[in-house]
Amino acid sequence: TSITHLDTFLPAFDEGYDVVIGSRKIEGSFIQVHQPRHREIMGEGGNWLIRIVLGLWSYPDTQCGFKMLSAEAAEAIASRMVVDRFGFDFELIVLARVLKFKVKQLPVRWMNEEGSTVSLTGPNGFIQVLIDLFKTKWRLLTGKYNVREYFKSKESR
């Protein structure tokens, strides 16, 4: 996703949004160069699982890498994030939701690049994303993200 999307994402912050994410699956998006078919199928299956496990039903594309955050959202979310691989995307979205930030999705123009590190196995592989998904769900269920701490600190301001 090109940095040129910056101009179309910035006005959303003036509209009161805290987090703006790109989506390849909403009206107005355009995929210029598709991924190989087997990767698109794996991605679709993985995205459905992400949406089921984390309750992200209104996010048809959790894995588009273009995301912008306000300073407050960036501090609150990034300080709680654990995943440093492709699971980063869904961890960021689910934390934005549980921390009650306003999230807006905008369409992007996207192009697959040759040499991508996405695979079935390995540190950026599909299997690792699934492991990170269930670890993220576990951290949410067990309070490891310290969400209550955020709301308490917000009340005391």
Side-chain angles (χ1 to χ4, degrees):
T1 305
S2 170
I3 194 67
T4 59
H5 287 80
L6 186 66
D7 293 337
T8 57
F9 277 45
L10 281 173
F13 293 98
D14 294 333
E15 297 169 15
Y17 289 94
D18 306 293
V19 178
V20 186
I21 64 172
S23 177
R24 298 164 291 186
K25 302 276 184 168
I26 61 175
E27 188 175 333
S29 64
F30 177 71
I31 298 180
Q32 189 171 342
V33 178
H34 283 264
Q35 300 176 68
R37 188 72 185 131
H38 70 281
R39 284 196 25 214
E40 285 189 355
I41 292 169
M42 276 193 334
E44 277 297 316
N47 193 53
W48 274 102
L49 190 58
I50 289 165
R51 294 167 73 194
I52 290 166
V53 171
L54 297 179
L56 298 176
W57 291 108
S58 59
Y59 298 89
D61 183 9
T62 60
Q63 300 309 109
C64 180
F66 202 96
K67 295 177 175 54
M68 292 177 65
L69 292 79
S70 67
E72 181 184 354
E75 184 178 326
I77 295 168
S79 66
R80 287 168 173 76
M81 291 183 70
V82 177
V83 181
D84 62 357
R85 292 173 290 272
F86 289 136
F88 154 91
D89 296 292
F90 57 72
E91 185 182 42
L92 185 148
I93 297 168
V94 79
L95 283 172
R97 286 189 42 144
V98 299
L99 292 169
K100 308 274 189 243
F101 286 108
K102 281 184 69 179
V103 180
K104 182 171 188 168
Q105 299 172 81
L106 289 174
V108 295
R109 181 180 190 100
W110 187 84
M111 178 176 15
N112 183 58
E113 288 189 10
E114 290 299 318
S116 172
T117 59
V118 176
S119 63
L120 184 59
T121 60
N124 289 326
F126 187 74
I127 293 170
Q128 184 60 54
V129 171
L130 294 179
I131 291 168
D132 288 336
L133 170 62
F134 288 104
K135 284 183 173 181
T136 297
K137 181 65 173 187
W138 180 251
R139 284 190 288 273
L140 285 168
L141 291 172
T142 59
K144 301 287 186 203
Y145 285 118
N146 298 317
V147 171
R148 287 185 189 156
E149 173 189 290
Y150 170 75
F151 291 111
K152 284 181 185 176
S153 71
K154 200 170 176 177
E155 286 174 6
S156 66
R157 289 187 235 163

